[in-house]
Amino acid sequence: MEIIEKAPAKINLGLDVLEKRTDGYHELEMVMSSVDLADRLIMEEIAEDKIIIETNKAFLPIDKRNNVYQAASILKKRYGIKKGIRIRITKNIPVAAGLGGGSTDCAAALRGMVRLWDLDLSMAELIDIGMEVGTDVPYCLYGTTSHIAGKGELVTPLRPMPQCWVILVKPRLSVSTGKIFQEVELDQLHHPDIAALSAAVLAEDYPAMIAAMGNSLEAITIPKYPIVQQIKDRMMKYGADVALMTGSGPTVFALCQKYSRAQRVYNALKGFCDEVYLVRTLK
């Protein structure tokens, strides 16, 4: 039997960095939403007690460095599963881009393995496994627009963000999230109003949502990688309602309610960067 799971990319409508925790992580407050750019995972049980990862991208690791491999290993060990599994990952989400590609693949693998092996696991149990792999995994297990707190483990679903078009632009560089957080100085960051953003999403108030959006980490990433600001400026010049970096970058996204404007922004960025996507928000 084959199990197929879709693994959608995420964007940060809001990201605020709060105080540093005793465990070394930063306390975060965020609003995330998923978009219709997704990887695809196909899972099947194999008789031999091993984990086999296959992918369409030659540069991706298929061993213990892979998030999906880690999730499978933890789940098998924790619940005494002696059967093996083959997981084929078709990657469409850019890597190291702030779009949660590795985390959403991990979440999809956990959902798929629960179905494959008919496991009666609660969301709390899945989140516990996911947090061992990455702090964005808990959100990705839910997938709907949500408020996130703690270091990523506290997820409160809101309601789907107002429907709109999303233009994603990934410049030809990678950003290390760990290195960005090492340079966080709280008094030098812009702190978006995450409570107002959450309220706007709940009220389905698109203009209020746009006004409240923001990402604290732009203050660190943009000086290091000026192209992020150049992409934002170009998006706004061609009619985006808002343009914002997602995660620690370098991917920038724009939102447009009108398809004609979204198409114009998309066309304006296609020649500027290689990886440009025009997608919808997910209901």
Side-chain angles (χ1 to χ4, degrees):
M1 178 176 70
E2 285 188 344
I3 299 291
I4 300 173
E5 283 282 341
K6 186 176 179 180
K10 64 84 180 170
I11 54 174
N12 291 86
L13 302 179
L15 190 163
D16 193 13
V17 183
L18 308 175
E19 74 272 10
K20 195 166 186 178
R21 299 159 54 108
T22 56
D23 60 9
Y25 286 89
H26 281 84
E27 194 79 14
L28 301 174
E29 193 177 9
M30 302 178 285
V31 174
M32 290 188 193
S33 194
S34 295
V35 298
D36 197 18
L37 172 67
D39 295 341
R40 185 171 183 263
L41 279 70
I42 301 176
M43 288 156 270
E44 61 178 342
E45 185 180 84
I46 58 177
E48 192 176 358
D49 186 7
K50 63 192 300 186
I51 300 166
I52 299 173
I53 305 293
E54 299 172 351
T55 176
N56 63 326
K57 300 292 185 182
F59 59 84
L60 286 177
I62 55 174
D63 53 16
K64 294 178 181 179
R65 295 169 294 167
N66 185 288
N67 286 5
V68 170
Y69 188 105
Q70 293 170 31
S73 179
I74 294 167
L75 186 139
K76 276 170 50 60
K77 183 177 181 180
R78 187 170 295 188
Y79 297 102
I81 297 166
K82 301 304 181 185
K83 297 284 188 179
I85 189 167
R86 175 182 284 108
I87 304 175
R88 298 194 293 277
I89 307 170
T90 301
K91 288 294 295 179
N92 299 306
I93 302 171
V95 176
L99 293 167
S103 295
T104 192
D105 289 350
C106 174
L110 288 171
R111 291 193 301 267
M113 288 184 288
V114 165
R115 292 168 56 200
L116 182 67
W117 287 317
D118 197 24
L119 301 174
D120 184 21
L121 302 186
S122 67
M123 181 61 82
E125 289 172 302
L126 291 174
I127 286 174
D128 190 51
I129 296 172
M131 282 298 291
E132 291 194 38
V133 181
T135 55
D136 282 342
V137 178
Y139 164 73
C140 294
L141 284 164
Y142 283 92
T144 188
T145 307
S146 299
H147 175 275
I148 298 96
K151 58 182 181 181
E153 79 279 15
L154 304 175
V155 182
T156 304
L158 301 171
R159 62 171 52 187
M161 66 177 283
Q163 282 281 284
C164 59
W165 295 94
V166 183
I167 304 94
L168 300 164
V169 179
K170 161 70 164 60
R172 195 180 294 177
L173 59 94
S174 296
V175 171
S176 166
T177 299
K179 289 181 179 179
I180 294 298
F181 271 98
Q182 285 173 11
E183 299 193 23
V184 165
E185 293 185 24
L186 296 176
D187 60 349
Q188 296 183 17
L189 303 183
H190 163 68
H191 297 281
D193 189 341
I194 301 298
L197 178 57
S198 298
V201 171
L202 286 168
E204 299 183 300
D205 187 334
Y206 183 80
M209 181 186 79
I210 294 298
M213 287 170 58
N215 184 339
S216 291
L217 295 178
E218 285 189 340
I220 302 170
T221 302
I222 287 175
K224 289 180 171 299
Y225 306 102
I227 192 171
V228 172
Q229 186 64 50
Q230 293 167 21
I231 293 169
K232 289 183 63 178
D233 292 344
R234 196 174 183 91
M235 287 173 156
M236 296 304 294
K237 176 183 176 181
Y238 285 92
D241 297 329
V242 67
L244 194 68
M245 185 180 80
T246 183
S248 58
T251 298
V252 180
F253 70 93
L255 302 183
C256 296
Q257 278 193 307
K258 294 181 178 179
Y259 176 73
S260 58
R261 283 197 180 187
Q263 189 68 53
R264 188 167 64 188
V265 174
Y266 172 75
N267 289 337
L269 271 299
K270 270 200 306 185
F272 193 68
C273 289
D274 293 334
E275 293 189 85
V276 184
Y277 307 87
L278 175 56
V279 297
R280 287 286 273 171
T281 49
L282 292 181
K283 295 183 179 179

